[in-house]
Structures are given as structure tokens and as C-alpha cells.
Amino acid sequence: VADGSYGTENTENPGWEGVDRTIAHLDLDAFFFSVELRRRPELRGRPVIVAGSGPRAVVTTASYEARKHGVGSAMPAAKALRLCPDAIVVPPDGPEYRRASTEVMEILHHHVETVQQAGLDEAYIDLSGMAAPVAAMKRIVHDIETETTLHASVGMGPNRLIAKLASDADKPRGFLVLTRTQAQIRFAEAECGLIPGIGPKTQYRLTRLGIRTVAQLAATDPLALAEEFGLRTGPWLVNRARFIDDSPVEVDREAVSESRETTFDVDLTDTAELRRRLDLLSGELAAALKAHGHRGRTVGIKIRFSDFETHTRAKTLPTPVSAANDIATIAQELLNGFTLERPVRLIGVRVAGFNRSQHDAGQLTLPIG
DNA sequence: TCTGGGGTCCTTGAGCCA
DNA sequence: TCTGTGGCTCAAGGACCC
């Protein structure tokens, strides 16, 4: 088996020249902040962080002026304010961001058919077969700017991975087209963590194996890495570093789970209050499931204690549920399985297993006669 | 004064069954 | 009847992404 049959160099891409696949990745620059700027132009040029108001709020995005002070996404808002005491804090406005996102996605769909939205502020676009894909993307960026005042960075390449890296490499207002060979040269000495899918934990494990750069990872035997990361993930990591990625741009991705969770401002020790909050979340989740037409067979809870230790419990039912009392009943049962001796920081509830569509599920549960 | 919320995917191990 | 094996589902945890 160890004949090196995983992603060997004989699969060398001759180079992307518009003859194979052509994928673009479009990423809106400092999206939440830019949307805030549309209604509050006086914020332009100022250090701004978009963050919630609670004691445990984190930064969702920051203006480039705030980033100069070391402020970054996912940083506790309190820490961000210590780094940048003059920053203006703006509370996030989800509905407004969704509206702005829809405006942009409609422009994309006006120009091209195969668009995969990946979060509110980014999308993959399959331009394969198009005669002048670069000119098309430039038109799209121009239309987005004139119609929404929002700026975007674009990366293009023979696959999603290269397109994504290219759009990140030249922000803000970047436009970078890379062949696979150009990507290999450009990112050879970059740390492995640059590659989407390689986070801090994986990067640390790679470093321990003596693999620090993208080029080093690309030169690693996939089977050797399989011993450390498993038969799927090991070779996958090497392929990422070789910029091999045949994942398609998927237009209609269906959700597989939905959840609601909350972090308490102060850790909870009162079990009755914890149960009350779990019921509230179950109600919220049920309303969302109803709105989206989802039902699922697996109900799960998540609990995070004051020391950040996190546990989950789940139960799979014979029939799918979506009603608040059904979800709450199972959630409370699952909570019974915990000894609640430590203060609780977070509680969450989740419904998964949507794989059978509501239409099918409805047919299965129709009463006979 | 640490570390949000809402998702997806992967791995591992247990249990069941043929 | 016992043992091995492989497939499948489920549960739990981990990692990652925006």
C-alpha cells in the first residue's frame, strides 16, 4: 500500500490558463465596519471596534485604524479597549449586515450562476468556461462598489483554496490571480497556519514533527502524516500544501444542524436558573427551526464550566422533533446526566440530523387512516 | 480581565449485527 | 458455541471557520 499513491507529483497541474477550472473568491473588506460607515460616515478614519456590550463580549470586527493598535477579531472587547482606549465601540447590528450581504449576493447572482455564499461577507464563484473571467470579476467588483459603496478583495485561481489565499494575500481592495505554480512559489516559506483548515492546534502538531513551512509540508510523505493525523486528514493536509483542491463550488448547501447557546455575564451556580435558561434557549431554537422548516432527530446540549471545560451530550430519537417542549424535555434529561458542582459559564442546545427533508419526514409520520 | 455565537467536518470508540 | 471481522450508527470531543 505504501507506494506513494496519494497525490503524487504526476498529478501536476500544467498551470491554470483558464482551460481547467476558474474559481474566484470574493471577500468584503472589514465588512461590519464598512456597513456601519454607510450610516455613520463620521466614523471614517477613526479607530472603531464592533463588539457586544457584556463583560464577556468579543470583537467581531475592527476598523483598520483600530487594527494598527493590535486589535483583532475574536479578542475580548475589554482587552481591545486596553490596547486602543480611544476606540469607538459600535454594537453589532445583525439584520443590517444581512441586508447588506443580500445586496452584494444579488449583484453576484446577476452576473454569474454558480455562487456559493460562505458567511455574510464572502463567496466562491465558479467561472469555469467563461471567456474573460478576470474582466468579469473586475466588473462585479465595480458594480458592488458603485451600488453598495462596499469594497471587496478578489482572488482567482484554478481551485477554491488558491482563490481564497489570493483574496487574503492582497487585502484591502486586492485583486490577485494565481496559477498553482505561482501559489507554490509565493507561499512556499509561509507558515503552515496560513492555509485554511490548518489552525493553531494542527500547526503546533506539525511543528513538533519538524514541519514549519508550506513547502516542507508539501514535501512530506502523505502516508507518514497519516500516522499522526489519520488516513483522511494526513494526506489532505499534504494536498492542501501542494495547493491541490478539487472541492466544488456548491450552490445549494443545506443546513445539517441548528443551535442556540449563551454565555452568562456571571457564571451560574443556581441549578433552577440554569434549567430555566435551557428552557428559554429551547424555545428560541424551536422558533428558528419552525421559521426555517427544519426538524431533527438528534437533540444535544452543551455545557461549559467556569474553567472552560466543555462537554456535550446528545440523544437521537426515532422520529424528528422541532417543538419547544420536545426539545426542552430531552435537553433537561440530558442535563440530568451532569453533576453540577462547578459554576457554569455557558449553556447551549442543538438539534441535528436534518438529513431527511421535512417533506420526507412528514410523509413518514403521516397518520394512517 | 482571558477566551461569543453559530455552524461544519473529522476522529475515535462503543455497541450492535451479520 | 466461540471468535474474528467488517459495516453501520451513535456519542463525544476536537478543530476549524466566519
Side-chain angles (χ1 to χ4, degrees), chain A residues 256-259 285 289 295-301 312-322 326-327 330-331 334 349-356:
Chain A
V256 303
S257 72
E258 207 165 341
S259 62
L285 178 56
L289 291 168
R295 308 174 76 203
R297 282 179 57 213
T298 303
V299 176
I301 66 167
T312 59
R313 291 285 185 279
K315 182 175 182 177
T316 298
L317 309 163
T319 53
V321 295
S322 63
D326 290 337
I327 297 168
I330 303 297
L334 291 168
V349 60
R350 171 173 182 260
V351 170
F354 297 166
N355 51 339
R356 197 188 295 163

Side-chain angles (χ1 to χ4, degrees), chain A residues 27-344:
Chain A
D27 198 327
L28 296 162
D29 298 327
F31 176 59
F32 292 178
F33 170 66
S34 302
V35 174
E36 294 297 340
L37 263 187
R38 298 204 297 186
R39 52 183 179 186
R40 296 179 63 182
E42 73 274 12
L43 295 177
R44 188 175 300 282
R46 306 286 302 278
V48 175
I49 64 173
V50 181
S53 56
R56 287 169 164 170
V58 298
V59 175
T60 56
T61 193
S63 68
Y64 288 98
E65 287 74 18
R67 293 181 197 196
K68 281 181 203 157
H69 292 80
V71 174
S73 294
M75 175 183 288
K79 184 179 178 186
L81 279 171
R82 278 200 306 280
L83 289 170
C84 185
D86 297 332
I88 301 159
V89 182
V90 174
D93 182 352
E96 183 60 24
Y97 306 150
R98 278 190 286 277
R99 267 193 294 278
S101 176
T102 303
E103 287 175 42
V104 173
M105 297 304 158
E106 281 176 355
I107 294 168
L108 281 177
H109 283 288
H110 176 74
H111 287 269
V112 274
E113 202 174 324
T114 311
V115 176
Q116 180 183 337
Q117 196 172 341
L120 284 179
D121 65 340
E122 60 182 282
Y124 291 93
I125 302 124
D126 193 337
L127 303 155
S128 304
M130 191 176 276
V134 173
M137 281 312 298
K138 292 203 164 166
R139 263 199 311 278
I140 288 173
V141 171
H142 176 262
D143 284 3
I144 290 171
E145 285 183 5
T146 52
E147 291 178 35
T148 71
T149 75
L150 298 171
H151 296 286
S153 293
V154 169
M156 293 179 69
N159 58 45
R160 289 167 43 128
L161 171 61
I162 293 172
K164 167 80 174 164
L165 284 165
S167 75
D168 280 344
D170 207 18
K171 275 179 145 304
R173 300 196 202 188
F175 198 110
L176 183 60
V177 184
L178 291 178
T179 65
R180 185 171 159 243
T181 305
Q182 287 170 333
Q184 284 171 319
I185 294 166
R186 185 174 183 121
F187 301 117
E189 293 309 310
E191 297 205 343
C192 295
L194 179 79
I195 292 179
I198 301 182
K201 303 276 184 179
T202 305
Q203 190 174 3
Y204 175 71
R205 287 169 72 186
L206 287 169
T207 306
R208 275 193 339 195
L209 296 171
I211 301 165
R212 189 182 61 80
T213 66
V214 171
Q216 287 169 338
L217 179 56
T220 305
D221 175 9
L223 283 174
L225 222 53
E227 286 177 24
E228 167 73 17
F229 291 95
L231 272 171
R232 260 177 101 113
T233 303
W236 180 81
L237 288 168
V238 176
N239 274 343
R240 299 293 275 179
R242 293 175 181 177
F243 303 98
I244 296 167
D245 172 27
D246 59 2
S247 64
V249 176
E250 293 176 279
V251 178
D252 292 314
R253 298 203 70 198
E254 284 195 27
V256 303
S257 72
E258 207 165 341
S259 62
R260 286 295 177 277
E261 65 183 48
T262 189
T263 296
F264 307 120
D265 287 350
V266 178
D267 295 347
L268 273 189
T269 49
D270 180 351
T271 309
E273 176 62 9
L274 191 61
R275 292 193 177 280
R276 195 183 70 80
R277 300 295 287 262
L278 190 56
D279 279 344
L280 286 174
L281 288 174
S282 300
E284 281 178 30
L285 178 56
L289 291 168
K290 187 179 176 189
H292 301 145
H294 288 150
R295 308 174 76 203
R297 282 179 57 213
T298 303
V299 176
I301 66 167
K302 170 170 158 182
I303 189 163
R304 176 171 290 154
F305 294 103
S306 51
D307 57 3
F308 227 70
E309 195 175 290
T310 307
H311 295 276
T312 59
R313 291 285 185 279
K315 182 175 182 177
T316 298
L317 309 163
T319 53
V321 295
S322 63
N325 54 348
D326 290 337
I327 297 168
T329 302
I330 303 297
Q332 296 288 351
E333 268 179 36
L334 291 168
L335 188 60
N336 288 339
F338 286 100
T339 46
L340 300 168
E341 288 163 349
R342 280 175 290 173
V344 174

Side-chain angles (χ1 to χ4, degrees), chain A residues 6-38:
Chain A
Y6 285 110
T8 51
E9 281 308 307
N10 58 12
T11 60
E12 175 68 26
N13 188 318
W16 170 72
E17 280 136 11
V19 293
D20 200 355
R21 289 205 303 160
T22 307
I23 310 295
H25 180 254
L26 180 136
D27 198 327
L28 296 162
D29 298 327
F31 176 59
F32 292 178
F33 170 66
S34 302
V35 174
E36 294 297 340
L37 263 187
R38 298 204 297 186

